[in-house]
Amino acid sequence: MDTDRIPDGWYEESDSEFVDQKYDPRPVTVFRHVDHGATLVAMPSEPNTEHTETDTYRLAVAREETSNFGDVEPFAEVHGDDAALDAAETFAKAYNAEGGGDAGIEAGKRAVSDEQEAG
């Protein structure tokens, strides 16, 4: 994914423990907030098998830095990795505008939901 659109205060984590491409080459992208430690993950929703929808991505968030799938809360599904990046950008902008924390996470989830309803 081209992650240049993610706003200031966020960075893409390289070599994340979330990512294991041994059996699944589809991208899992992990973003972290520089100051607050929030974790935003865009990951495939379904296993990479011939009888599943392999282009659906789930967005999930954790209020603190984590590398554990059990710690993130899924909040949206989108079709395609470009749409996942668009939703991540929407989330990150709303999070920043709200000043982070729990309010920022809720604002980010609402912004993504509103964008999906409008789109």
Side-chain angles (χ1 to χ4, degrees), residues 1-58:
M1 284 190 222
D2 173 19
T3 58
D4 292 339
R5 296 179 290 175
I6 297 300
D8 288 342
W10 291 85
Y11 67 94
E12 180 182 1
E13 181 175 280
S14 59
D15 300 324
S16 171
E17 292 179 27
F18 276 102
V19 181
D20 180 6
Q21 295 181 335
K22 182 175 181 180
Y23 300 108
D24 192 344
R26 296 172 300 169
V28 173
T29 307
V30 178
F31 300 101
R32 304 229 189 252
H33 193 275
V34 173
D35 297 323
H36 305 139
T39 302
L40 178 61
V41 182
M43 61 188 149
S45 292
E46 300 289 334
N48 194 18
T49 63
E50 66 181 89
H51 300 295
T52 61
E53 173 58 58
T54 60
D55 201 28
T56 301
Y57 283 77
R58 177 179 302 135

Side-chain angles (χ1 to χ4, degrees), residues 4 27 32 35 40 43 47 53 56 59 62 73 85 88-89 92-95 100 105-106 116-117:
D4 292 339
R32 304 229 189 252
D35 297 323
L40 178 61
M43 61 188 149
E53 173 58 58
T56 301
L59 268 72
E73 173 192 350
L85 183 57
E89 178 183 16
K93 285 180 178 178
Y95 179 94
I105 287 177
E106 294 308 314
Q116 286 181 317
E117 287 176 12

